[in-house]
Amino acid sequence: MIMPYTLLSFLYLTKVGTNRYKNNGQNFRINLPMERNVEHNVSVPEDLVQIQAYLRWERNGKQNYTPEKEKEEYEAARTELREEMMRGASVEDLRAKLLKKDNNSDSPKSKGTSSSGREQTKVTKQQKEKKYYSTEKIQRQGRDLNKLICKHVADSVEPNSKSSTEPRALKTLEIYAKAKEEQETTPIFSKKTLKFEGSAILVLVKKLSGKTKIHLATDFKEPITLHWALSQKGGEWLDPPSDILPPNSLPVRGAVDTQMTIASTDLPSPVQTFELEIEGDSYKGMPFVLNAGEKWFKNNDSDFYVDFSQEEKHVQKDYGDGKGTAKHLLDKIADLESEAQKSFMHRFNIAADLVDEAKNAGQLGFAGILVWMRFMATRQLVWNKNYNVKPREISKAQDRLTDVLQDVYASYPEYRELLRMILSTVGRGGEGDVGQRIRDEILVIQRKNDCKGGMMEEWHQKLHNNTSPDDVVICQALMDYVKNDFDMSVYWKTLNDNGITKERLLSYDRAIHSEPNFRREQKDGLLHDLGHYMRTLKAVHSGADLESAIQNCMGYQDDGEGFMVGVQINPVSGLPSGYPDLLRFVLEHVEEKNVEPLLEGLLEARQQLRPLLQKSHDRLKDLLFLDLALDSTVRTAIERGYEQLNDAGPEKIMYFISLVLENLALSSDDNEDLIYCLKGWQYALDMFKSKKDHWALYAKSVLDRSRLALARKAERYLEILQPSAEYLGSCLGVDQWAVDIFTEEIIRAGSAAALSSLVNRLDPVLRQTANLGSWQVISPVEVVGYVIVVDELLTVQNKTYNRPTIIVANRVRGEEEIPDGAVAVLTPDMPDVLSHVSVRARNGKICFATCFDSGILSDLQAKDGKLLSLKPTSADVVYREVNDSELSNLSSLNLEDVPPSISLVKKQFVGRYAISSEEFTSDLVGAKSRNIGYLKGKVPSWVGIPTSVALPFGVFEKVISEKANQAVSEKLKVLKKSLDEGDQGALGEIRKTVLGLAAPTELVEELKSTMKNSDMPWPGDEGEQRWEQAWAAIKKVWASKWNERAYFSTKKVKLDHDYLCMAVLVQEVINADYAFVIHTTNPSSGDSSEIYAEVVKGLGETLVGAYPGRSLSFICKKNNLDSPLVLGYPSKPIGLFIRRSIIFRSDSNGEDLEGYAGAGLYDSVPMDEEDKVVLDYTTDPLITDQSFQKKILSDIARAGDAIEKLYGTPQDIEGVIRDGKLYVVQTRPQV
């Protein structure tokens, strides 16, 4: 056998051969490799060969191999591993390296969780075992929904750091622009700020008297030349007329070079400018590029273009002070944007650097990061400025950012919802949430290709409402149409070949009526952008994005690639047993038309994943991206499933609502209300299946509560995100339309929009089933008036209309005043029948009704300015347009209905600071106190009356006159004078000043004595601080004389406000299980044989105050008090509860006057703050226990009937239930 040489020995001679060089006196030596003969005596485990083969396949781009190539690759993998073993690696070393157990591995996935060999074998075997889930439907695990409740709420929307409010110094170009706009008297036609090379160029266009004036300015540091022309249509360069050329201009081959000049203004740094004035309107725009020495600057590889043919609808607004934002952080982002534009690597690294500052700024800090990242994702910001970055460098920066966000997510649960949204814009590969990109990219296509109307706008609206696999076909049809020289027959052929007819297009919730109509010059841009968009559509509707997220967590595998079968590399540890089978079930059903099994699988997957998201995990971000993908797939599946709900019954729709609500709750930081809504829907489904009579009535209450929850979520997003979008958008020159719809698009992208759509489908079904009709008429009065549409009744409550007015208000809280001149208030909102505004309407003979039908409401809103006649019944409102003669006839009839004159008698201090209930008289206290005193000992023994004392009339005025309060008194005189002169802002200052009053010693001692003699607890016995709390509450009651609602109400009926005196009724608070209000004559129908009552859980403030939602309402015939009939179940999400305490109730001489209902205008203030509790009605026996419900409601009706008989007139009664015992806390004549 010939042995190979293994060593080469040499020395080195110079050219002339006289000098010899050695290696420290020895010859240089090189070891030669032995001939490779690795076939003998080396065995590699097959599972490791399998993994190595997979890695080679992945490195080679996951190509489709022939069987021969597959075998070749498998053997090449074996050879590579044998070579490593020949170099000394053991089997254990190879296993550790391949399964990522080697901490020194330089693999980009070395951070991943390891998997032992035994685990690997187990995984491989699992694929051969029977699947846990059937192929048709999964079995959802039973769960206690209360354990899903999260109460992680950021304390405030105010930034935590003081630096957040520091003003940002304006940049040079901003100062220049502001000065230029102030100098000009001509309105701005359009204004834009364009970015280039870390600088900006301001473009102002003005038009006046047939002339167009273009003004450009830049803060670029080097001398710059504008290379420009004019155009009559897009894409052309025309020689400008020689007589309009600015100074320093040189015509050059179809264009002009103009050296920009330094502006002679006092600025921090130089600004270069260009001005041009054009006569007439023959030119539509000005293309240009910029030149500085050897450098040419363009607008992202396109020419810059000034369009002066169409006025911009929205000139970029200046949001100045950045109120409601983490302003200091947003200013820093704006300053760093020019650097961030270089590449994704730069942007992601900058974002990672800013996370600590965002954390210090609190919730608004992360809101700012989200806004910035979303502006990036929607292509409002430049993605790359010709900066060469390797993909792995972008990936590394992206990993760094997501690692930092992952750490914040684990440590700060109150920011998780915002962090999820930020992660969805960043994504694993810079692409973000694919489902959301469907909505974002259609806007980009419309804007870039100038095709915002017609079919494209209709498709845009359809995509926003419910994207579906049809959209893939529509996109392909559009591309075929464009490719084939805009042949419309090709468009229809592609649609029809794929089952989409004209009728189907018209059947969508947002129908597509129009055919495409593009211009020839749009061809290339449309083909490019629609091709890109097609990939996005296919990613969503083929589950590709979900598939990659699943693959990332399960380990890399591909069951269809021969030798890769069963290979798993780098799986996430700790996943639930059977989870891979569940995810496979999801992928198998992701494209099916029947989406119900898919939705169940997706939500089960999210539920099982949830515990891992609540704690630290070294692969937390991979789990988060999986959860985001599952969430996104739920949303697109629901939209795809709308069609199967078209003919569905209420049970199916309710079930779908519960699924979407579950998905929304799993993505929300503060989800307690959502969870209780979810429990409510499940209870409604149980009622439906059990064929309970009131299932639809109960389901309607859950629907109303769900709507309130959605509205609160939308308002919260608007409060947190929109100010940051407006301020940062202004700083970065983002398109105004993108700023205006920022929060709206965030909301529409989530489950909330799908939930709202489903709720709207179910509402008319429930109303019909429960015989609720389209209206709830609270005050049935026939009227004629002119329609005016407002957003909130609150904004017009102090207005005076000079002609009869029907107000259609989107929001009515319940405590507003009805403005003078209003004859009707119609609203989709749901104030309680016994709320302040409802009482005001009935007392003032004003028509007041809630409209549940969105179609009717839209029709009424469309009649803005028209004269209508309203004819309400107890359950409907008939309206029609009329002419002025009918209004004249009605006005002449109403002249006879003149309200009585009302006056007050001023009360005097009678020398007493406190009196017991036995001493209550009309000279000392108001009707509220006197009625309570009268009831004591006269009502049935099972009706409790709380012990009461009072601070009588005149005590407030006496306290003010004390020497210790002289400064307060003098300030009040000044403020009252300002108020009399029309300064309404003085009302708030008066209330604040009243709180500065000091308590005379005599008052303290007399009140203490009176309360103790009446067996009431004295607050001071618990310490001086408790008395101070009581004294503060008393002063708040007095100060409520000057609340806006009360003040304007007295002015309307010409009551002398100075003559209004305030006694204070003092009662021990009963910590109520329920509170109620009774009207012993039904206020809606006027039926005196029928009692109407409303009940809430907890204290009654949620019933009489401005708390959203409805109470439980019922009627009861006086001749059958044991048979109450429930009219509506409660939808109020909040209940108020309190410790044993004292309440101080307002009791003025301006309440319960004939012809004027002053009750409810002034404040009642408990000594202790109430606890707000989110209510779960599925555990409330008043809802779930029929016998308990009947007893409580019957007791309330009997108490009302007894008190009405005692007085002999209809009564308005307030009371509470505690441990089954009924208490009446006040009564007054019903108006």
Side-chain angles (χ1 to χ4, degrees), residues 58-288:
E58 188 179 47
R59 285 198 300 268
N60 292 331
K62 299 185 178 181
Q63 302 172 20
N64 289 322
Y65 291 153
T66 63
E68 293 76 16
K69 178 65 175 176
E70 189 175 294
K71 185 176 180 181
E72 181 184 324
E73 281 292 305
Y74 197 88
E75 292 308 316
R78 188 191 305 277
T79 299
E80 286 179 348
L81 294 179
R82 282 177 171 166
E83 288 177 1
E84 289 200 45
M85 293 182 71
M86 290 294 296
R87 289 195 291 270
S90 66
V91 171
E92 289 72 22
D93 292 338
L94 290 180
R95 190 179 300 282
K97 179 180 178 182
L98 291 174
L99 297 178
K100 301 298 182 282
K101 291 188 73 171
D102 184 356
N103 291 329
N104 297 319
S105 171
D106 58 358
S107 165
K109 294 186 171 55
S110 61
K111 293 181 182 180
T113 304
S114 63
S115 174
S116 70
R118 289 187 300 276
E119 289 169 337
Q120 182 64 39
T121 304
K122 180 180 177 183
V123 168
T124 308
K125 285 181 178 178
Q126 275 183 352
Q127 297 184 345
K128 300 176 184 177
E129 294 172 359
K130 185 179 178 181
K131 290 186 178 180
Y132 179 76
Y133 298 103
S134 74
T135 56
E136 298 301 321
K137 198 175 179 69
I138 66 159
Q139 183 66 44
R140 296 289 310 266
Q141 294 180 12
R143 288 182 177 85
D144 179 358
L145 290 177
N146 287 342
K147 292 183 179 178
L148 301 180
I149 291 173
C150 293
K151 299 182 182 180
H152 303 306
V153 187
D155 291 337
S156 170
V157 297
E158 289 301 317
N160 297 330
S161 60
K162 293 181 180 178
S163 62
S164 299
T165 58
E166 292 175 5
R168 173 176 70 95
L170 291 177
K171 295 180 179 179
T172 299
L173 203 58
E174 293 172 327
I175 297 171
Y176 176 82
K178 189 174 182 181
K180 192 71 180 173
E181 290 175 55
E182 289 173 353
Q183 289 170 7
E184 295 283 347
T185 56
T186 308
I188 296 173
F189 183 77
S190 69
K191 173 187 174 183
K192 280 188 178 179
T193 302
L194 306 169
K195 306 286 186 178
F196 75 98
E197 197 65 18
S199 298
I201 186 161
L202 170 72
V203 180
L204 294 176
V205 178
K206 300 173 185 179
K207 288 198 172 189
L208 185 67
S209 305
K211 294 182 179 180
T212 301
K213 190 173 182 179
I214 302 101
H215 186 95
L216 275 60
T218 179
D219 56 359
F220 193 68
K221 299 294 186 292
E222 302 172 29
I224 199 160
T225 298
L226 191 76
H227 182 74
W228 62 281
L230 296 176
S231 68
Q232 294 177 338
K233 61 182 180 180
E236 69 179 4
W237 284 62
L238 301 177
D239 286 316
S242 58
D243 60 342
I244 69 167
L245 300 184
N248 303 317
S249 294
L250 178 67
V252 287
R253 290 178 298 173
V256 175
D257 282 345
T258 302
Q259 181 72 45
M260 297 184 75
T261 57
I262 302 293
S264 56
T265 52
D266 185 17
L267 294 168
S269 59
V271 169
Q272 301 180 63
T273 65
F274 166 93
E275 285 195 358
L276 180 69
E277 190 171 285
I278 305 171
E279 291 275 358
D281 58 0
S282 57
Y283 294 107
K284 306 301 182 184
M286 184 183 102
F288 70 92

